[in-house]
Amino acid sequence: MIRYVIKRILMLIPLVFCITFVVYGLMSLAPGDPATIMLPSNAPQEQKDALNHELGYDRPFLVKYVDYVGKMIFKLDFGTSYRTSQPIINEIKVRLPISIRLAFFGLSLAAVIGIPLGVLSAVKQYSLLDTIPSVIALTLSAVPSFWLGMMMIYILAYKLGWLPSFGMGSIKHWILPTLTIAVVYAAEILRYTRSSMLETIRADYVRTARAKGVAERKVIWKHAMKNGLLPVITLLGSSFGAQIGGAIVTENLYNLPGLGTLTLISINMRDTPTVVATSVIFAILYNIILILVDLMYAFIDPRIKAKYSR
């Protein structure tokens, strides 16, 4: 198991090189430059050229890339933002916890809603307790998160005045963003759980447990759930990693200064070092989460643990 984890961590090294090269290349090919965006439209070209030179933007691509990667690997320095002239790591430290908190709240609520309803749908297949949740889940899966968020703001914040529509001063400020993420993902988790449990409850070991007279509740929640939750754990892990950097719509909708918002602002401002830094952070966190998911697999299923131990 330890060798497997070390292998996965070492695989991050070429991944970081690929990400930095691709992102740096794409940002270099994009039209425009930081000075044109940061300075007024009537600023003289000499002033724009001076600012680009000060930012180091006018250096050759390979020089900028090698310099950035060298500092990142040997000094753990993500560079200085073109936009703020401050170390990028300082802004990441402030914004990353916000994105992690939002992803954790949203997916935790989605799991609390989706998993029990998915199990119930599988156990009560073809009944109303299966049909109604399944139809609702299919409908919500097709609803764009930004539209759902705007409807929640309009009804719960504007019309009823129950909740604030932006900011993060108190726990009330997190309710609408959490619901926006949770509702969509709960529908997906429900469908995954139902599909997995339908396959699991028909397995031979489940039928054997029933034949031995084991109580139905124990058969479902103790015997079938272990294997039935494996695909759901994968979904939750990958979704959590994606939401840390991918909740740009939700963060912008509710004015949350997370890492996704920082990435979007940096792309618009041609802030290449910040875009590369956030992309690397996303990739590392996503892969670490996938490693943790694999370890949870091994904890739930001893057969998987034996495979990793070879």
Side-chain angles (χ1 to χ4, degrees):
M1 180 67 70
I2 295 176
R3 282 193 302 172
Y4 170 78
V5 173
I6 293 173
K7 270 191 212 175
R8 290 289 299 271
I9 292 174
L10 290 176
M11 287 173 63
L12 289 174
I13 298 174
L15 178 66
V16 168
F17 276 108
C18 290
I19 289 172
T20 53
F21 186 81
V22 170
V23 174
Y24 240 116
L26 291 175
M27 292 297 292
S28 298
L29 292 173
D33 56 76
T36 302
I37 296 172
M38 295 166 68
L39 294 176
S41 57
N42 59 351
Q45 186 62 41
E46 293 79 9
Q47 187 179 356
K48 294 180 182 179
D49 293 339
L51 180 57
N52 282 330
H53 181 73
E54 181 183 342
L55 296 173
Y57 187 80
D58 57 350
R59 293 185 299 168
F61 167 73
L62 287 179
V63 174
K64 291 188 293 184
Y65 174 73
V66 172
D67 181 55
Y68 182 86
V69 172
K71 288 180 179 179
M72 184 178 62
I73 293 176
F74 297 110
K75 297 182 180 180
L76 297 179
D77 180 9
F78 286 100
T80 302
S81 170
Y82 290 163
R83 182 173 51 89
T84 63
S85 300
Q86 298 295 321
I88 296 169
I89 191 65
N90 293 342
E91 197 160 12
I92 290 176
K93 286 178 182 178
V94 174
R95 291 174 178 264
L96 181 58
I98 296 171
S99 295
I100 292 177
R101 197 181 311 160
L102 178 61
F104 178 78
F105 287 164
L107 290 172
S108 295
L109 181 59
V112 169
I113 297 171
I115 291 175
L117 288 178
V119 173
L120 181 64
S121 294
V123 173
K124 303 294 184 180
Q125 188 181 18
Y126 302 131
S127 69
L128 283 177
L129 292 176
D130 174 31
T131 303
I132 293 174
S134 296
V135 170
I136 294 174
L138 286 171
T139 303
L140 290 176
S141 297
V143 174
S145 59
F146 72 88
W147 182 87
L148 181 64
M150 288 191 294
M151 290 298 101
M152 287 184 177
I153 290 174
Y154 179 74
I155 296 171
L156 298 178
Y158 178 68
K159 282 292 186 182
L160 300 177
W162 289 352
L163 297 167
S165 61
F166 63 91
M168 54 177 196
S170 66
I171 191 65
K172 284 186 175 182
H173 290 85
W174 292 93
I175 294 177
L176 285 179
T178 298
L179 286 175
T180 301
I181 293 175
V183 169
V184 176
Y185 276 98
E188 194 170 355
I189 290 170
L190 188 154
R191 292 189 296 111
Y192 267 78
T193 305
R194 179 183 181 276
S195 176
S196 180
M197 285 297 294
L198 282 175
E199 184 178 347
T200 303
I201 59 180
R202 296 188 179 101
D204 291 339
Y205 72 92
V206 174
R207 285 198 294 265
T208 302
R210 285 181 176 137
K212 288 181 177 180
V214 179
E216 183 66 16
R217 180 174 302 207
K218 191 174 182 181
V219 169
I220 297 299
W221 294 103
K222 183 177 180 181
H223 295 278
M225 275 290 287
K226 275 193 174 182
N227 286 331
L229 280 182
L230 291 179
V232 180
I233 291 173
T234 303
L235 174 64
L236 283 171
S238 59
S239 299
F240 185 73
Q243 279 298 307
I244 290 176
I248 297 175
V249 172
T250 307
E251 289 178 3
N252 275 275
L253 197 60
Y254 296 102
N255 197 25
L256 295 174
L259 212 57
T261 304
L262 174 63
T263 305
L264 184 62
I265 293 172
S266 301
I267 291 173
N268 291 332
M269 298 293 289
R270 301 297 185 270
D271 190 351
T272 302
T274 304
V275 176
V276 175
T278 54
S279 300
V280 169
I281 294 294
F282 293 155
I284 292 175
L285 287 175
Y286 190 83
N287 278 271
I288 289 174
I289 291 169
L290 291 184
I291 292 172
L292 293 176
V293 168
D294 289 343
L295 294 178
M296 289 181 67
Y297 264 35
F299 177 76
I300 293 172
D301 193 338
R303 295 172 299 177
I304 297 176
K305 184 176 181 180
K307 179 181 177 182
Y308 288 156
S309 302
R310 293 174 186 172

